[in-house]
Amino acid sequence: MIIQPKIRGFICTTAHPAGCAENVRRQAAYARARGPVAGAPRRVLVVGCSAGYGLAARVAAAFAHGATTVGVCLERPGGDSRTATAGWYNDTALRALATEAGLAAHTIMGDAFSNEIKALAVDAVKERLPGGKVDLVVYSVAAPRRTHPVTGETFSSVIKPVGEPFVGQTVNVQTGELSQVTVQPATEDEIRGTVAVMGGEDWLLWIRALLGAGVLAPGARTTAFSYLGPPQTHAIYRDGTIGRAKEDLDATAAAISGLLRPLGGRAFVSVNKALVTQASSAIPVVPLYMALLFRVMKKKGTHEGCIEQMARFYERVYGPEQPFAADGEGRLRLDDLEMDDGVQREVARLWNSVTQENLSSVADLAGYREDFLRLFGFGFENVNYGADVQP
Ligand code: NAD
């Protein structure tokens, strides 16, 4: 099968196995070159391990620090006439690279929100990680819906403002068309649903399951990822439904820290940079902000991708400065370079002056499109996309 990108709205319905493998290989090479941090964890569990931040967290753990990893993700294999999801290829590539490097990496595919998958992960920690315990649990699930493991209720996550309609400019990254969007405010049910899917409850259930099974190592840490962003995106993000879910994550971090105290452990939220991932492509307004941000940060030489962010994660959390410098809410701020005053002033200036005519010169649409295609394994110059491959 010759595999080409098929883009539908903000997703690509095909993925390329060799391109996804190339993406993982480049991340692993970067992590190796960046090198280990003395105190970095050697036994890591990543929930949401096959794409975006979770994939990079696992790659950095394994290839910078030599960690043994267990991963959990929800991905679909390919068939005779359809490709697997990108995450499925990413995971296959990661495990192959780990094996080559003599590192154990075990993946469980299934619904992280279910009790069954948590039980399988506990068993995997016992059987696959040295000493049967885990030092770091990274929670990086981004999902459109969640079925509650006790009540069976299915919740959906929506990206909407709260209270008032949102009116703002956005860009269709594929066509380069600038437009105004209006998003109506969420209902109470939609807010509740989004918090149930993207808030902290499932993270807490994971930690309770691991703690109950006695598989968290002394001093174990756990993190979940958040985003705050600049005023231009607040109405749709920070002050919207997803922001409510992230506030719930902050509250959950405090609750989990309480549970981990007897072990000498700690939970914290890491606020990460805005990056092109399958999850973030679905948010209106954010792609325009990112295209402007990338232009500014690339010019300044401070642009990072998921793997650079995750390399810095381990350096900040496990480096010589202990405990890491947190913000007033106890959060790790990996978005420091994005939120830099000079960067944000320049982004705001561009935001206010962007027009259809100057869009391609002030916004890094090409960079955004390249990142987007690469999520699905397309656009790598050293991959032969004309070759017949087995999906
Ligand atoms: P992503 O879409 O790239 O990856 C999501 C992961 O979740 C995949 O591994 C997928 O398999 C897994 N997943 C989804 N549903 C699952 C389920 N039911 N069971 C098991 N696994 C499941 O997402 P991402 O952008 O890396 O987001 C991860 C976290 O980082 C989210 O909390 C997000 O809000 C946060 N974050 C993202 C950005 C950004 O710009 N992308 C910035 C800051 C924080």
Side-chain angles (χ1 to χ4, degrees), residues 47-55 72-75 110-113 139-145 198 224-227 237 242 246 249 270-280 286 290 306 375:
V47 187
C49 67
S50 54
Y53 275 116
L55 173 66
V72 178
C73 59
L74 186 62
E75 302 293 348
D111 182 9
F113 298 133
Y139 187 86
S140 187
V141 174
R145 65 192 67 81
M198 292 299 288
F225 299 143
S226 186
Y227 182 68
Y237 198 97
I242 186 84
K246 296 303 186 187
L249 213 56
S270 173
V271 183
N272 299 350
K273 176 179 188 251
L275 281 175
V276 183
T277 64
Q278 292 189 49
S280 68
V286 168
M290 280 201 261
C306 287
L375 293 178

mmCIF file of all heavy atoms in Angstrom, residues 47-55 72-75 110-113 139-145 198 224-227 237 242 246 249 270-280 286 290 306 375, ligand 1:
data_model
loop_
_atom_site.group_PDB
_atom_site.id
_atom_site.type_symbol
_atom_site.label_atom_id
_atom_site.label_comp_id
_atom_site.label_asym_id
_atom_site.label_seq_id
_atom_site.Cartn_x
_atom_site.Cartn_y
_atom_site.Cartn_z
ATOM 1 N N VAL A 47 1.013 7.124 31.336
ATOM 2 C CA VAL A 47 -0.369 6.870 30.928
ATOM 3 C C VAL A 47 -0.691 7.900 29.843
ATOM 4 O O VAL A 47 -0.671 9.103 30.100
ATOM 5 C CB VAL A 47 -1.335 7.000 32.129
ATOM 6 C CG1 VAL A 47 -2.743 6.563 31.716
ATOM 7 C CG2 VAL A 47 -0.844 6.183 33.319
ATOM 8 N N GLY A 48 -0.935 7.413 28.606
ATOM 9 C CA GLY A 48 -1.058 8.299 27.437
ATOM 10 C C GLY A 48 0.306 8.408 26.763
ATOM 11 O O GLY A 48 0.819 9.502 26.527
ATOM 12 N N CYS A 49 0.894 7.236 26.463
ATOM 13 C CA CYS A 49 2.324 7.162 26.110
ATOM 14 C C CYS A 49 2.626 7.190 24.620
ATOM 15 O O CYS A 49 3.787 7.093 24.226
ATOM 16 C CB CYS A 49 2.902 5.862 26.670
ATOM 17 S SG CYS A 49 2.206 4.397 25.836
ATOM 18 N N SER A 50 1.612 7.285 23.752
ATOM 19 C CA SER A 50 1.866 6.988 22.335
ATOM 20 C C SER A 50 1.954 8.210 21.432
ATOM 21 O O SER A 50 2.227 8.072 20.235
ATOM 22 C CB SER A 50 0.746 6.079 21.817
ATOM 23 O OG SER A 50 -0.501 6.684 22.077
ATOM 24 N N ALA A 51 1.711 9.390 21.973
ATOM 25 C CA ALA A 51 1.741 10.594 21.130
ATOM 26 C C ALA A 51 2.037 11.801 21.996
ATOM 27 O O ALA A 51 1.955 11.733 23.229
ATOM 28 C CB ALA A 51 0.390 10.778 20.421
ATOM 29 N N GLY A 52 2.374 12.908 21.361
ATOM 30 C CA GLY A 52 2.510 14.193 22.036
ATOM 31 C C GLY A 52 3.449 14.153 23.227
ATOM 32 O O GLY A 52 4.547 13.582 23.166
ATOM 33 N N TYR A 53 2.994 14.780 24.318
ATOM 34 C CA TYR A 53 3.839 14.912 25.506
ATOM 35 C C TYR A 53 4.139 13.575 26.173
ATOM 36 O O TYR A 53 5.236 13.369 26.688
ATOM 37 C CB TYR A 53 3.194 15.884 26.494
ATOM 38 C CG TYR A 53 3.537 17.313 26.167
ATOM 39 C CD1 TYR A 53 2.566 18.228 25.798
ATOM 40 C CD2 TYR A 53 4.861 17.740 26.204
ATOM 41 C CE1 TYR A 53 2.902 19.540 25.486
ATOM 42 C CE2 TYR A 53 5.201 19.038 25.888
ATOM 43 C CZ TYR A 53 4.225 19.931 25.532
ATOM 44 O OH TYR A 53 4.572 21.225 25.223
ATOM 45 N N GLY A 54 3.175 12.663 26.209
ATOM 46 C CA GLY A 54 3.396 11.381 26.879
ATOM 47 C C GLY A 54 4.458 10.557 26.156
ATOM 48 O O GLY A 54 5.340 9.951 26.780
ATOM 49 N N LEU A 55 4.389 10.548 24.827
ATOM 50 C CA LEU A 55 5.401 9.831 24.038
ATOM 51 C C LEU A 55 6.787 10.412 24.326
ATOM 52 O O LEU A 55 7.748 9.672 24.590
ATOM 53 C CB LEU A 55 5.071 9.944 22.535
ATOM 54 C CG LEU A 55 6.137 9.389 21.584
ATOM 55 C CD1 LEU A 55 6.286 7.877 21.716
ATOM 56 C CD2 LEU A 55 5.798 9.759 20.127
ATOM 57 N N VAL A 72 0.810 3.113 28.756
ATOM 58 C CA VAL A 72 -0.606 2.789 28.527
ATOM 59 C C VAL A 72 -1.126 3.761 27.469
ATOM 60 O O VAL A 72 -0.869 4.961 27.550
ATOM 61 C CB VAL A 72 -1.431 2.966 29.821
ATOM 62 C CG1 VAL A 72 -2.912 2.682 29.566
ATOM 63 C CG2 VAL A 72 -0.900 2.076 30.931
ATOM 64 N N CYS A 73 -1.819 3.235 26.461
ATOM 65 C CA CYS A 73 -2.391 4.126 25.445
ATOM 66 C C CYS A 73 -3.573 3.441 24.766
ATOM 67 O O CYS A 73 -3.790 2.240 24.940
ATOM 68 C CB CYS A 73 -1.337 4.495 24.395
ATOM 69 S SG CYS A 73 -0.633 3.078 23.532
ATOM 70 N N LEU A 74 -4.330 4.236 24.033
ATOM 71 C CA LEU A 74 -5.479 3.700 23.311
ATOM 72 C C LEU A 74 -5.256 3.960 21.829
ATOM 73 O O LEU A 74 -5.435 5.090 21.367
ATOM 74 C CB LEU A 74 -6.764 4.381 23.801
ATOM 75 C CG LEU A 74 -8.075 3.818 23.247
ATOM 76 C CD1 LEU A 74 -8.268 2.363 23.645
ATOM 77 C CD2 LEU A 74 -9.261 4.637 23.752
ATOM 78 N N GLU A 75 -4.828 2.944 21.101
ATOM 79 C CA GLU A 75 -4.519 3.094 19.686
ATOM 80 C C GLU A 75 -5.075 1.903 18.906
ATOM 81 O O GLU A 75 -5.423 0.880 19.488
ATOM 82 C CB GLU A 75 -2.994 3.197 19.481
ATOM 83 C CG GLU A 75 -2.327 4.345 20.243
ATOM 84 C CD GLU A 75 -2.731 5.730 19.739
ATOM 85 O OE1 GLU A 75 -3.352 5.837 18.664
ATOM 86 O OE2 GLU A 75 -2.420 6.719 20.448
ATOM 87 N N GLY A 110 -5.337 -0.056 25.716
ATOM 88 C CA GLY A 110 -6.707 -0.185 26.188
ATOM 89 C C GLY A 110 -7.116 1.102 26.863
ATOM 90 O O GLY A 110 -6.339 2.071 26.917
ATOM 91 N N ASP A 111 -8.333 1.112 27.400
ATOM 92 C CA ASP A 111 -8.908 2.329 27.964
ATOM 93 C C ASP A 111 -8.359 2.607 29.366
ATOM 94 O O ASP A 111 -8.720 1.937 30.328
ATOM 95 C CB ASP A 111 -10.434 2.163 28.000
ATOM 96 C CG ASP A 111 -11.112 3.407 28.527
ATOM 97 O OD1 ASP A 111 -10.432 4.447 28.707
ATOM 98 O OD2 ASP A 111 -12.338 3.336 28.775
ATOM 99 N N ALA A 112 -7.519 3.627 29.445
ATOM 100 C CA ALA A 112 -6.884 3.990 30.729
ATOM 101 C C ALA A 112 -7.916 4.348 31.794
ATOM 102 O O ALA A 112 -7.623 4.283 32.985
ATOM 103 C CB ALA A 112 -5.954 5.184 30.522
ATOM 104 N N PHE A 113 -9.127 4.741 31.358
ATOM 105 C CA PHE A 113 -10.161 5.138 32.317
ATOM 106 C C PHE A 113 -10.804 3.924 33.008
ATOM 107 O O PHE A 113 -11.543 4.087 33.961
ATOM 108 C CB PHE A 113 -11.257 5.948 31.604
ATOM 109 C CG PHE A 113 -10.760 7.237 30.995
ATOM 110 C CD1 PHE A 113 -11.100 7.582 29.688
ATOM 111 C CD2 PHE A 113 -9.964 8.118 31.728
ATOM 112 C CE1 PHE A 113 -10.666 8.773 29.130
ATOM 113 C CE2 PHE A 113 -9.517 9.309 31.174
ATOM 114 C CZ PHE A 113 -9.863 9.644 29.870
ATOM 115 N N TYR A 139 1.037 11.319 33.831
ATOM 116 C CA TYR A 139 -0.344 11.181 33.355
ATOM 117 C C TYR A 139 -0.553 12.148 32.202
ATOM 118 O O TYR A 139 -0.588 13.359 32.395
ATOM 119 C CB TYR A 139 -1.324 11.467 34.502
ATOM 120 C CG TYR A 139 -2.749 11.164 34.118
ATOM 121 C CD1 TYR A 139 -3.269 9.880 34.247
ATOM 122 C CD2 TYR A 139 -3.570 12.156 33.583
ATOM 123 C CE1 TYR A 139 -4.566 9.594 33.859
ATOM 124 C CE2 TYR A 139 -4.867 11.877 33.193
ATOM 125 C CZ TYR A 139 -5.353 10.589 33.339
ATOM 126 O OH TYR A 139 -6.640 10.302 32.945
ATOM 127 N N SER A 140 -0.650 11.642 30.973
ATOM 128 C CA SER A 140 -0.706 12.508 29.784
ATOM 129 C C SER A 140 -1.813 12.088 28.823
ATOM 130 O O SER A 140 -1.635 12.068 27.609
ATOM 131 C CB SER A 140 0.664 12.481 29.075
ATOM 132 O OG SER A 140 0.689 13.418 28.031
ATOM 133 N N VAL A 141 -2.962 11.756 29.388
ATOM 134 C CA VAL A 141 -4.099 11.347 28.551
ATOM 135 C C VAL A 141 -4.813 12.597 28.036
ATOM 136 O O VAL A 141 -5.079 13.521 28.800
ATOM 137 C CB VAL A 141 -5.085 10.479 29.368
ATOM 138 C CG1 VAL A 141 -6.343 10.179 28.557
ATOM 139 C CG2 VAL A 141 -4.419 9.188 29.814
ATOM 140 N N ALA A 142 -5.085 12.639 26.741
ATOM 141 C CA ALA A 142 -5.972 13.668 26.182
ATOM 142 C C ALA A 142 -7.025 12.902 25.399
ATOM 143 O O ALA A 142 -6.703 12.221 24.426
ATOM 144 C CB ALA A 142 -5.208 14.619 25.270
ATOM 145 N N ALA A 143 -8.269 12.964 25.843
ATOM 146 C CA ALA A 143 -9.305 12.112 25.259
ATOM 147 C C ALA A 143 -10.577 12.907 25.002
ATOM 148 O O ALA A 143 -10.855 13.875 25.707
ATOM 149 C CB ALA A 143 -9.615 10.956 26.215
ATOM 150 N N PRO A 144 -11.341 12.509 24.008
ATOM 151 C CA PRO A 144 -12.609 13.198 23.767
ATOM 152 C C PRO A 144 -13.728 12.739 24.715
ATOM 153 O O PRO A 144 -14.688 13.460 24.930
ATOM 154 C CB PRO A 144 -12.952 12.816 22.322
ATOM 155 C CG PRO A 144 -12.216 11.535 22.061
ATOM 156 C CD PRO A 144 -11.019 11.519 22.974
ATOM 157 N N ARG A 145 -13.620 11.509 25.244
ATOM 158 C CA ARG A 145 -14.675 11.056 26.151
ATOM 159 C C ARG A 145 -14.154 10.043 27.158
ATOM 160 O O ARG A 145 -13.075 9.488 26.988
ATOM 161 C CB ARG A 145 -15.874 10.497 25.385
ATOM 162 C CG ARG A 145 -15.672 9.243 24.575
ATOM 163 C CD ARG A 145 -16.841 8.973 23.647
ATOM 164 N NE ARG A 145 -16.915 10.001 22.615
ATOM 165 C CZ ARG A 145 -16.171 9.997 21.513
ATOM 166 N NH1 ARG A 145 -15.312 9.025 21.287
ATOM 167 N NH2 ARG A 145 -16.275 10.972 20.626
ATOM 168 N N MET A 198 -11.234 15.498 31.365
ATOM 169 C CA MET A 198 -9.885 16.083 31.362
ATOM 170 C C MET A 198 -9.442 16.618 32.732
ATOM 171 O O MET A 198 -8.345 17.139 32.854
ATOM 172 C CB MET A 198 -9.808 17.202 30.312
ATOM 173 C CG MET A 198 -9.898 16.713 28.868
ATOM 174 S SD MET A 198 -8.555 15.587 28.396
ATOM 175 C CE MET A 198 -7.165 16.724 28.289
ATOM 176 N N ALA A 224 0.876 15.567 36.037
ATOM 177 C CA ALA A 224 -0.087 15.651 34.933
ATOM 178 C C ALA A 224 0.149 16.996 34.268
ATOM 179 O O ALA A 224 0.656 17.929 34.907
ATOM 180 C CB ALA A 224 -1.513 15.543 35.459
ATOM 181 N N PHE A 225 -0.214 17.101 32.988
ATOM 182 C CA PHE A 225 0.157 18.284 32.218
ATOM 183 C C PHE A 225 -0.999 19.266 32.057
ATOM 184 O O PHE A 225 -2.148 18.879 31.874
ATOM 185 C CB PHE A 225 0.669 17.866 30.838
ATOM 186 C CG PHE A 225 1.901 16.998 30.921
ATOM 187 C CD1 PHE A 225 2.086 15.943 30.039
ATOM 188 C CD2 PHE A 225 2.874 17.237 31.885
ATOM 189 C CE1 PHE A 225 3.222 15.140 30.115
ATOM 190 C CE2 PHE A 225 4.010 16.448 31.975
ATOM 191 C CZ PHE A 225 4.179 15.394 31.083
ATOM 192 N N SER A 226 -0.626 20.544 32.082
ATOM 193 C CA SER A 226 -1.625 21.589 31.949
ATOM 194 C C SER A 226 -1.133 22.654 30.983
ATOM 195 O O SER A 226 0.008 22.619 30.515
ATOM 196 C CB SER A 226 -1.887 22.206 33.327
ATOM 197 O OG SER A 226 -2.945 23.135 33.262
ATOM 198 N N TYR A 227 -2.016 23.610 30.696
ATOM 199 C CA TYR A 227 -1.664 24.735 29.843
ATOM 200 C C TYR A 227 -2.380 25.978 30.359
ATOM 201 O O TYR A 227 -3.521 25.880 30.807
ATOM 202 C CB TYR A 227 -2.060 24.446 28.386
ATOM 203 C CG TYR A 227 -1.663 25.570 27.463
ATOM 204 C CD1 TYR A 227 -0.321 25.824 27.216
ATOM 205 C CD2 TYR A 227 -2.619 26.389 26.876
ATOM 206 C CE1 TYR A 227 0.056 26.889 26.405
ATOM 207 C CE2 TYR A 227 -2.244 27.443 26.051
ATOM 208 C CZ TYR A 227 -0.899 27.683 25.828
ATOM 209 O OH TYR A 227 -0.519 28.728 25.033
ATOM 210 N N TYR A 237 -9.732 28.941 26.338
ATOM 211 C CA TYR A 237 -8.954 27.895 27.013
ATOM 212 C C TYR A 237 -9.006 28.019 28.538
ATOM 213 O O TYR A 237 -9.759 27.345 29.204
ATOM 214 C CB TYR A 237 -7.500 27.878 26.494
ATOM 215 C CG TYR A 237 -6.828 26.576 26.833
ATOM 216 C CD1 TYR A 237 -6.750 25.528 25.908
ATOM 217 C CD2 TYR A 237 -6.328 26.344 28.114
ATOM 218 C CE1 TYR A 237 -6.198 24.315 26.260
ATOM 219 C CE2 TYR A 237 -5.772 25.132 28.466
ATOM 220 C CZ TYR A 237 -5.704 24.127 27.534
ATOM 221 O OH TYR A 237 -5.161 22.917 27.884
ATOM 222 N N ILE A 242 -12.134 23.680 29.286
ATOM 223 C CA ILE A 242 -10.884 22.940 29.508
ATOM 224 C C ILE A 242 -10.110 23.547 30.684
ATOM 225 O O ILE A 242 -9.477 22.824 31.462
ATOM 226 C CB ILE A 242 -10.058 22.856 28.195
ATOM 227 C CG1 ILE A 242 -8.822 21.954 28.352
ATOM 228 C CG2 ILE A 242 -9.676 24.189 27.640
ATOM 229 C CD1 ILE A 242 -9.100 20.518 28.160
ATOM 230 N N LYS A 246 -8.600 21.870 34.005
ATOM 231 C CA LYS A 246 -7.217 22.044 34.474
ATOM 232 C C LYS A 246 -7.183 22.556 35.921
ATOM 233 O O LYS A 246 -6.279 22.225 36.670
ATOM 234 C CB LYS A 246 -6.452 22.982 33.536
ATOM 235 C CG LYS A 246 -6.279 22.429 32.109
ATOM 236 C CD LYS A 246 -5.574 21.080 32.075
ATOM 237 C CE LYS A 246 -5.288 20.605 30.657
ATOM 238 N NZ LYS A 246 -4.752 19.222 30.610
ATOM 239 N N LEU A 249 -7.465 19.649 37.954
ATOM 240 C CA LEU A 249 -6.177 18.948 37.975
ATOM 241 C C LEU A 249 -5.283 19.533 39.075
ATOM 242 O O LEU A 249 -4.617 18.799 39.807
ATOM 243 C CB LEU A 249 -5.512 19.151 36.608
ATOM 244 C CG LEU A 249 -4.635 18.067 36.018
ATOM 245 C CD1 LEU A 249 -5.359 16.748 35.907
ATOM 246 C CD2 LEU A 249 -4.155 18.509 34.625
ATOM 247 N N SER A 270 2.540 20.045 35.685
ATOM 248 C CA SER A 270 3.545 20.722 34.866
ATOM 249 C C SER A 270 2.814 21.503 33.777
ATOM 250 O O SER A 270 2.019 20.939 33.024
ATOM 251 C CB SER A 270 4.475 19.671 34.238
ATOM 252 O OG SER A 270 5.353 20.297 33.326
ATOM 253 N N VAL A 271 3.057 22.810 33.738
ATOM 254 C CA VAL A 271 2.420 23.645 32.713
ATOM 255 C C VAL A 271 3.358 23.676 31.507
ATOM 256 O O VAL A 271 4.470 24.198 31.594
ATOM 257 C CB VAL A 271 2.165 25.070 33.236
ATOM 258 C CG1 VAL A 271 1.440 25.890 32.168
ATOM 259 C CG2 VAL A 271 1.355 25.036 34.524
ATOM 260 N N ASN A 272 2.916 23.087 30.419
ATOM 261 C CA ASN A 272 3.776 22.920 29.247
ATOM 262 C C ASN A 272 3.496 23.955 28.169
ATOM 263 O O ASN A 272 2.487 24.649 28.189
ATOM 264 C CB ASN A 272 3.588 21.512 28.665
ATOM 265 C CG ASN A 272 3.970 20.431 29.652
ATOM 266 O OD1 ASN A 272 4.549 20.701 30.696
ATOM 267 N ND2 ASN A 272 3.643 19.187 29.321
ATOM 268 N N LYS A 273 4.377 23.968 27.202
ATOM 269 C CA LYS A 273 4.270 24.905 26.077
ATOM 270 C C LYS A 273 3.165 24.482 25.104
ATOM 271 O O LYS A 273 2.894 23.280 24.955
ATOM 272 C CB LYS A 273 5.615 24.884 25.353
ATOM 273 C CG LYS A 273 5.692 25.729 24.092
ATOM 274 C CD LYS A 273 7.102 25.634 23.500
ATOM 275 C CE LYS A 273 7.275 26.607 22.366
ATOM 276 N NZ LYS A 273 7.341 25.965 21.073
ATOM 277 N N ALA A 274 2.588 25.442 24.397
ATOM 278 C CA ALA A 274 1.616 25.135 23.340
ATOM 279 C C ALA A 274 2.356 24.492 22.167
ATOM 280 O O ALA A 274 3.297 25.080 21.638
ATOM 281 C CB ALA A 274 0.941 26.420 22.866
ATOM 282 N N LEU A 275 1.948 23.289 21.802
ATOM 283 C CA LEU A 275 2.589 22.593 20.683
ATOM 284 C C LEU A 275 1.557 21.881 19.831
ATOM 285 O O LEU A 275 0.475 21.548 20.307
ATOM 286 C CB LEU A 275 3.581 21.565 21.228
ATOM 287 C CG LEU A 275 4.919 22.153 21.686
ATOM 288 C CD1 LEU A 275 5.778 21.081 22.316
ATOM 289 C CD2 LEU A 275 5.665 22.779 20.512
ATOM 290 N N VAL A 276 1.923 21.633 18.585
ATOM 291 C CA VAL A 276 1.013 20.949 17.677
ATOM 292 C C VAL A 276 0.966 19.472 18.056
ATOM 293 O O VAL A 276 1.971 18.766 17.977
ATOM 294 C CB VAL A 276 1.495 21.079 16.215
ATOM 295 C CG1 VAL A 276 0.497 20.432 15.268
ATOM 296 C CG2 VAL A 276 1.729 22.536 15.849
ATOM 297 N N THR A 277 -0.191 19.026 18.532
ATOM 298 C CA THR A 277 -0.413 17.600 18.783
ATOM 299 C C THR A 277 -1.824 17.313 18.274
ATOM 300 O O THR A 277 -2.560 18.236 17.910
ATOM 301 C CB THR A 277 -0.358 17.255 20.296
ATOM 302 O OG1 THR A 277 -1.448 17.929 20.948
ATOM 303 C CG2 THR A 277 0.946 17.681 20.940
ATOM 304 N N GLN A 278 -2.203 16.054 18.268
ATOM 305 C CA GLN A 278 -3.555 15.733 17.807
ATOM 306 C C GLN A 278 -4.584 16.437 18.692
ATOM 307 O O GLN A 278 -5.606 16.905 18.211
ATOM 308 C CB GLN A 278 -3.766 14.228 17.800
ATOM 309 C CG GLN A 278 -2.918 13.562 16.741
ATOM 310 C CD GLN A 278 -3.266 12.095 16.576
ATOM 311 O OE1 GLN A 278 -4.420 11.717 16.456
ATOM 312 N NE2 GLN A 278 -2.248 11.264 16.579
ATOM 313 N N ALA A 279 -4.289 16.499 20.000
ATOM 314 C CA ALA A 279 -5.252 17.118 20.925
ATOM 315 C C ALA A 279 -5.363 18.627 20.676
ATOM 316 O O ALA A 279 -6.462 19.170 20.606
ATOM 317 C CB ALA A 279 -4.839 16.844 22.373
ATOM 318 N N SER A 280 -4.225 19.319 20.502
ATOM 319 C CA SER A 280 -4.290 20.784 20.432
ATOM 320 C C SER A 280 -4.780 21.285 19.084
ATOM 321 O O SER A 280 -5.267 22.413 18.972
ATOM 322 C CB SER A 280 -2.925 21.404 20.772
ATOM 323 O OG SER A 280 -1.984 21.116 19.772
ATOM 324 N N VAL A 286 -6.311 28.564 18.892
ATOM 325 C CA VAL A 286 -4.980 28.146 19.322
ATOM 326 C C VAL A 286 -4.015 27.943 18.138
ATOM 327 O O VAL A 286 -2.864 28.361 18.217
ATOM 328 C CB VAL A 286 -5.081 26.911 20.250
ATOM 329 C CG1 VAL A 286 -3.736 26.264 20.485
ATOM 330 C CG2 VAL A 286 -5.693 27.347 21.586
ATOM 331 N N MET A 290 -0.467 29.674 17.901
ATOM 332 C CA MET A 290 0.762 28.870 17.811
ATOM 333 C C MET A 290 1.600 29.263 16.606
ATOM 334 O O MET A 290 2.825 29.342 16.686
ATOM 335 C CB MET A 290 0.425 27.383 17.741
ATOM 336 C CG MET A 290 0.113 26.802 19.095
ATOM 337 S SD MET A 290 0.322 25.021 19.099
ATOM 338 C CE MET A 290 -1.333 24.508 18.893
ATOM 339 N N CYS A 306 7.980 18.775 21.673
ATOM 340 C CA CYS A 306 7.648 17.932 22.841
ATOM 341 C C CYS A 306 8.904 17.323 23.469
ATOM 342 O O CYS A 306 9.025 17.277 24.694
ATOM 343 C CB CYS A 306 6.707 16.804 22.424
ATOM 344 S SG CYS A 306 5.027 17.348 22.089
ATOM 345 N N LEU A 375 3.172 14.574 12.835
ATOM 346 C CA LEU A 375 2.454 13.810 13.873
ATOM 347 C C LEU A 375 1.985 12.475 13.322
ATOM 348 O O LEU A 375 1.826 11.510 14.060
ATOM 349 C CB LEU A 375 1.186 14.550 14.323
ATOM 350 C CG LEU A 375 1.296 15.861 15.069
ATOM 351 C CD1 LEU A 375 -0.110 16.384 15.346
ATOM 352 C CD2 LEU A 375 2.054 15.652 16.367
HETATM 353 P P1 NAD B 1 -2.012 13.697 22.302
HETATM 354 O O1 NAD B 1 -3.315 13.698 21.619
HETATM 355 O O2 NAD B 1 -0.783 13.921 21.509
HETATM 356 O O3 NAD B 1 -1.815 12.309 23.107
HETATM 357 C C1 NAD B 1 -2.843 11.785 23.903
HETATM 358 C C2 NAD B 1 -2.465 10.423 24.459
HETATM 359 O O4 NAD B 1 -3.569 9.955 25.241
HETATM 360 C C3 NAD B 1 -2.193 9.347 23.404
HETATM 361 O O5 NAD B 1 -1.123 8.535 23.824
HETATM 362 C C4 NAD B 1 -3.478 8.513 23.418
HETATM 363 O O6 NAD B 1 -3.323 7.157 23.056
HETATM 364 C C5 NAD B 1 -3.833 8.609 24.887
HETATM 365 N N1 NAD B 1 -5.251 8.313 25.157
HETATM 366 C C6 NAD B 1 -6.346 8.974 24.724
HETATM 367 N N2 NAD B 1 -7.466 8.381 25.223
HETATM 368 C C7 NAD B 1 -7.047 7.330 25.971
HETATM 369 C C8 NAD B 1 -7.719 6.335 26.738
HETATM 370 N N3 NAD B 1 -9.039 6.318 26.858
HETATM 371 N N4 NAD B 1 -6.954 5.380 27.327
HETATM 372 C C9 NAD B 1 -5.598 5.379 27.210
HETATM 373 N N5 NAD B 1 -4.918 6.309 26.535
HETATM 374 C C10 NAD B 1 -5.643 7.276 25.922
HETATM 375 O O7 NAD B 1 -2.136 14.783 23.495
HETATM 376 P P2 NAD B 1 -1.134 15.874 24.116
HETATM 377 O O8 NAD B 1 -1.329 17.163 23.412
HETATM 378 O O9 NAD B 1 0.223 15.321 24.267
HETATM 379 O O10 NAD B 1 -1.811 16.076 25.546
HETATM 380 C C11 NAD B 1 -1.390 15.396 26.705
HETATM 381 C C12 NAD B 1 -1.620 16.307 27.916
HETATM 382 O O11 NAD B 1 -0.772 17.464 27.778
HETATM 383 C C13 NAD B 1 -3.047 16.826 28.035
HETATM 384 O O12 NAD B 1 -3.400 16.893 29.399
HETATM 385 C C14 NAD B 1 -2.954 18.230 27.464
HETATM 386 O O13 NAD B 1 -3.956 19.095 27.942
HETATM 387 C C15 NAD B 1 -1.581 18.622 27.978
HETATM 388 N N6 NAD B 1 -0.958 19.782 27.282
HETATM 389 C C16 NAD B 1 -0.909 19.839 25.923
HETATM 390 C C17 NAD B 1 -0.357 20.946 25.313
HETATM 391 C C18 NAD B 1 -0.312 21.078 23.804
HETATM 392 O O14 NAD B 1 -0.123 22.194 23.316
HETATM 393 N N7 NAD B 1 -0.427 19.999 23.070
HETATM 394 C C19 NAD B 1 0.211 21.982 26.093
HETATM 395 C C20 NAD B 1 0.196 21.863 27.467
HETATM 396 C C21 NAD B 1 -0.402 20.751 28.061
#
